[in-house]
Amino acid sequence: MKTFFSEEHRRHFPQAELSGGEFVTPYERPSRVEYVLGRLKERGLTDIVDPGAPDMDAIRALCTPDYLEFLETAWDEWKAAGMAGEIIAASFPARRMQMSRPPRNIDGKAGYYALASETAITGGTWAATLSSAASAQAAQAHVAAGARAAFALCRPPGHHATADMYGGYCFINNAALVAEAFRRDGAGRVAVLDIDFHHGNGTQDIFYDRGDVFFASLHGAPEDAFPYFLGFADETGAGAGEGATVNYPMLPGTAYGPWAKALDDAIARIRAFGAEALVVSLGVDAYKDDPISFFKLDSPDFMDAGRRIGRLGLPSVFCMEGGYAIEAVGINTVNVLEGFLDA
Ligand code: 6XA
Ligand code: ZN
């Protein structure tokens, strides 16, 4: 399996994340991918290629024009306004406030386009975000050209990003780019399977009313876990998309047994849906020692999960999402890929 990866990811490395009322070094940091690359090489998965430039037309088709302009210009505006630190959103449109009037002021704009405040924007964020999207797009093109599967080692991740919001370390929804590209390349129906510990609110939002893209997510229950405000079991899609969203919220302490049962159910639904291509939002923060999550999966479980996914027999693109137990991120991620290849 080929890996698509860009060194440009390094350009996104905020110094601070607001966590537990403190500024900490962001959990989502460049070294995460070093562990994945190291493990890929250890296991002989050495076909690692640079994706080249992103397909901007596809990115423009996914995101709103004003949101993309914000991402591209935010840092310059922030500096021009005389702000000393990194861009951290602090004011949000909340209940009964205006939801559709982006402010002129850059501090206000950040709050308008953010869904949470842990995710800082810096001078290199836009370039890194585009390189991450490019990896996803190149992986999809490789599979559309006939490969069975490809791994997009995306950083920053994507599954929390909507067409017009960033947060949860995400700016552009890489998995959604892949799903849309499969559709454009002729797949009638596509499935996105999100096994990251956190609900893929962005992906769900993008496809919620679509009958052609199925979305399934296994995640910490919203009552207990970020992003808190989406990912309930009774969210099943709308309009033409009714029945094409399925959520498996699970409680603190959930171990592999019940998690795998949810996975099997999601896989059965993807099969019944008639998907012709699969996108996997591959987060490994369901791991037992992840510092910001609460499931209890162990490293061999990730290989078993990969095997179950592989048995679907679909052309598949894996997009890297979360996972913060630094040393284990490489092992767990590559375990999913090896399980898949072994299915
Ligand atoms: C913010 C937690 C963000 C989690 C991001 C993540 N307190 N998403 O891993 O998959
Ligand atoms: Zn996550």
Side-chain angles (χ1 to χ4, degrees):
M1 189 183 316
K2 258 191 169 62
T3 295
F4 293 84
F5 168 71
S6 168
E7 290 289 346
E8 287 277 291
H9 78 90
R10 291 176 192 292
R11 297 182 61 183
H12 175 65
F13 184 19
Q15 297 308 295
E17 169 178 343
L18 185 54
S19 173
E22 290 182 298
F23 282 114
V24 302
T25 300
Y27 289 99
E28 200 295 288
R29 59 187 71 163
S31 59
R32 295 175 59 240
V33 299
E34 300 305 328
Y35 286 97
V36 179
L37 288 169
R39 184 65 177 175
L40 284 168
K41 288 172 189 159
E42 250 172 63
R43 303 298 298 169
L45 295 162
T46 51
D47 202 350
I48 301 168
V49 292
D50 184 277
D55 172 356
M56 288 306 300
D57 288 342
I59 292 171
R60 281 189 212 102
L62 182 72
C63 302
T64 65
D66 59 313
Y67 175 57
L68 290 177
E69 193 189 330
F70 163 77
L71 287 180
E72 189 171 0
T73 59
W75 183 248
D76 289 343
E77 277 191 48
W78 186 256
K79 290 281 106 184
M83 312 293 201
E86 301 176 329
I87 303 178
I88 295 183
S91 304
F92 301 92
R95 278 182 288 286
R96 292 175 298 287
M97 296 171 93
Q98 298 276 352
M99 289 286 176
S100 316
R101 291 187 174 182
R104 255 192 304 272
N105 179 285
I106 184 61
D107 176 57
K109 260 191 228 178
Y112 180 80
Y113 290 112
L115 60 92
S117 62
E118 79 293 300
T119 302
I121 294 176
T122 69
T125 299
W126 175 240
T129 297
L130 289 182
S131 79
S132 183
S135 290
Q137 292 173 324
Q140 186 278 334
H142 180 60
V143 172
R148 178 181 177 216
F151 175 40
L153 181 42
C154 295
R155 182 180 175 273
H159 72 150
H160 296 301
T162 69
D164 58 1
M165 282 191 286
Y166 74 98
Y169 315 144
C170 303
F171 301 92
I172 288 178
N173 195 309
N174 302 310
L177 281 175
V178 173
E180 292 283 38
F182 273 131
R183 287 284 291 113
R184 271 195 296 275
D185 285 342
R189 292 182 152 211
V190 178
V192 182
L193 172 62
D194 190 324
I195 62 169
D196 185 281
F197 168 81
H198 301 93
H199 178 246
N201 63 285
T203 318
Q204 171 171 314
D205 183 63
I206 288 166
F207 297 116
Y208 204 61
D209 59 1
R210 295 258 301 262
D212 56 337
V213 180
F214 189 86
F215 175 70
S217 179
L218 281 62
H219 52 269
E223 293 91 339
D224 302 303
F226 183 89
Y228 297 116
F229 309 110
L230 211 64
F232 294 87
D234 59 4
E235 296 159 9
T236 55
E242 186 57 62
T245 288
V246 59
N247 282 313
Y248 302 90
M250 288 171 272
L251 296 175
T254 296
Y256 189 60
W259 192 93
K261 217 166 155 266
L263 179 65
D264 284 345
D265 193 76
I267 286 170
R269 285 174 192 250
I270 288 168
R271 198 174 276 123
F273 177 74
E276 293 160 38
L278 177 70
V279 190
V280 180
S281 266
L282 175 52
V284 291
D285 35 13
Y287 181 57
K288 63 182 173 49
D289 294 329
D290 192 273
I292 63 169
S293 309
F294 56 59
F295 288 168
K296 296 288 167 234
L297 272 62
D298 208 341
S299 292
D301 299 331
F302 287 95
M303 192 170 289
D304 186 75
R307 227 174 255 122
R308 291 175 198 235
I309 295 166
R311 283 189 213 118
L312 265 170
L314 290 172
S316 301
V317 170
F318 292 84
C319 292
M320 189 79 221
E321 304 283 1
Y324 312 98
I326 292 292
E327 305 80 24
V329 170
I331 293 168
N332 294 340
T333 301
V334 177
N335 275 1
V336 173
L337 302 178
E338 291 196 284
F340 176 92
L341 291 171
D342 183 50

